[in-house]
Amino acid sequence: MARAERQGLVLKNYAGFYYVEDEEGSVRECVLRGKLRTRVLTGDRVRISLREANRGVVEEVLPRHSELQRPPVANIDLVLVVFAADRPSPDLVLLDRLLVLVQHRGLQPVVVLNKCDLQQSLKAEFVRSYYPTVGYRVVAASAVRGDGLNELAEAVRGRVAVMAGPSGVGKSSLLNAMIPELRLATGDVSRKLGRGRHTTRHVELCRVPGGGWIADTPGFSVLDLPPMRPAELAALFPEFEAPAARCRFRNCLHAREEDCAVKAEVEAGRIAPGRYQHYRAFLAEVIENARCFR
């Protein structure tokens, strides 16, 4: 590689500038080469040409191994799906939507329940008791007391992770606790609306002591399911896998079919009825989306 060129990692995109950490650890303020047609995302590995001072030009976006649209970030290995134990209580529909999206993209999710220093809601207790039994890792954390921070740092070590979840659950507070020098802005939950106020305005990668990166992202409360075939959805609910092998029909969608072992597990209380109801609602959405794209 020519001396005037280097590879680097895009840490953030702000006001039309791309801040890239190069191979030597220097952060350079870059603009895009005019002929570049690829959208540049936080997390992208790029080739840059150097200019005066700490400035450069993004010449090329290197191949990605993963990409998310909401939040827009590339080359993620791990998704920390963050909700609060209370204030606000976890939105279980949104939690399951996020888990479906993460798994559909082939990424590893870790469910993080922040604010565990507060009295936990019934929904939070359900997340902590049920989700680990079907294969999800759940970390109980508190940005105030420091609970779970070592476990999160260990999960992120050597990886690029993203924090995803609604606003008001304390994503920025968790990052401040893990990386104190960040001093990211945080916001309280609106008492009138019961939702958090957005405090993060752009996606930015933050280096975690001990190794790895976490992206701080804007919160959101609405998430569309990704395009998929109806038969794919059941595979994104891990507790369906074993009983699905006992269904009468090989292509069973676990909805209206007879002799469905998944529905039998729900009736027996071994699969949470709420999770199954979310699956049925998502299935209807996936089928409708498939019709729209014919």
Side-chain angles (χ1 to χ4, degrees):
M1 182 179 295
R3 179 176 299 178
E5 292 187 354
R6 293 180 184 173
Q7 291 186 8
L9 174 67
V10 178
L11 303 183
K12 67 177 177 179
N13 168 15
Y14 185 70
F17 293 97
Y18 296 81
Y19 295 84
V20 179
E21 182 175 292
D22 66 18
E23 298 157 309
E24 298 181 353
S26 298
V27 177
R28 299 180 182 275
E29 183 182 84
C30 299
V31 295
L32 303 184
R33 176 66 63 191
K35 64 181 181 181
L36 190 65
R37 294 292 179 261
T38 305
R39 183 188 180 194
V40 180
L41 302 178
T42 297
D44 269 328
R45 297 283 177 177
V46 295
R47 180 173 59 85
I48 63 173
S49 59
L50 306 183
R51 288 185 173 180
E52 71 284 352
N54 283 322
R55 297 185 177 180
V57 177
V58 176
E59 302 284 354
E60 179 187 7
V61 177
L62 302 179
R64 298 166 178 156
H65 67 74
S66 66
E67 177 182 344
L68 293 177
Q69 297 296 328
R70 298 178 64 185
V73 61
N75 297 318
I76 293 298
D77 306 301
L78 182 74
V79 180
L80 304 179
V81 182
V82 185
F83 283 80
D86 201 8
R87 301 182 194 174
S89 179
D91 181 337
L92 299 183
V93 176
L94 179 57
L95 170 59
D96 286 341
R97 279 179 175 269
L98 279 167
L99 292 175
V100 165
L101 171 62
V102 170
Q103 294 169 116
H104 185 261
R105 294 298 175 87
L107 304 176
Q108 179 183 352
V110 173
V111 179
V112 182
L113 277 179
N114 191 28
K115 304 186 184 181
C116 282
D117 51 289
L118 301 177
Q119 180 70 34
Q120 293 189 58
S121 64
L122 292 177
K123 290 181 180 179
E125 292 177 359
F126 170 72
V127 171
R128 293 186 66 176
S129 63
Y130 179 78
Y131 282 73
T133 68
V134 298
Y136 294 109
R137 183 176 182 179
V138 177
V139 177
S142 169
V144 174
R145 294 193 312 216
D147 299 356
L149 298 186
N150 290 337
E151 189 174 352
L152 289 176
E154 179 60 32
V156 171
R157 186 168 293 125
R159 299 178 174 183
V160 177
V162 62
M163 282 188 173
S167 57
V169 300
K171 299 190 301 296
S172 294
S173 296
L174 275 176
L175 273 174
N176 283 339
M178 296 177 70
I179 315 171
E181 62 270 21
L182 284 179
R183 298 179 182 177
L184 297 171
T186 60
D188 297 325
V189 174
S190 167
R191 292 183 179 180
K192 181 178 180 181
L193 298 177
R195 300 196 299 265
R197 300 185 178 94
H198 292 262
T199 56
T200 304
R201 301 301 180 185
H202 57 275
V203 181
E204 178 174 357
L205 288 186
C206 309
R207 186 185 291 277
V208 179
W213 299 85
I214 296 181
D216 185 34
T217 67
F220 53 86
S221 58
V222 177
L223 185 70
D224 296 327
L225 292 175
M228 68 177 80
R229 292 180 292 105
E232 293 180 76
L233 181 64
L236 304 179
F237 284 73
E239 62 267 53
F240 291 8
E241 181 178 5
R246 304 193 301 272
C247 289
R248 177 180 178 183
F249 303 103
R250 292 184 59 185
N251 60 348
C252 184
L253 293 179
H254 321 303
R256 298 178 180 177
E257 298 89 343
E258 296 181 355
D259 298 330
C260 173
V262 170
K263 290 194 292 184
E265 291 291 290
V266 176
E267 293 171 1
R270 289 186 287 270
I271 290 178
R275 281 269 291 172
Y276 178 69
Q277 290 170 8
H278 297 166
Y279 165 77
R280 289 290 300 268
F282 297 168
L283 180 63
E285 187 174 332
V286 167
I287 291 172
E288 181 61 29
N289 289 342
R291 289 171 179 163
C292 292
F293 285 101
R294 285 178 183 174

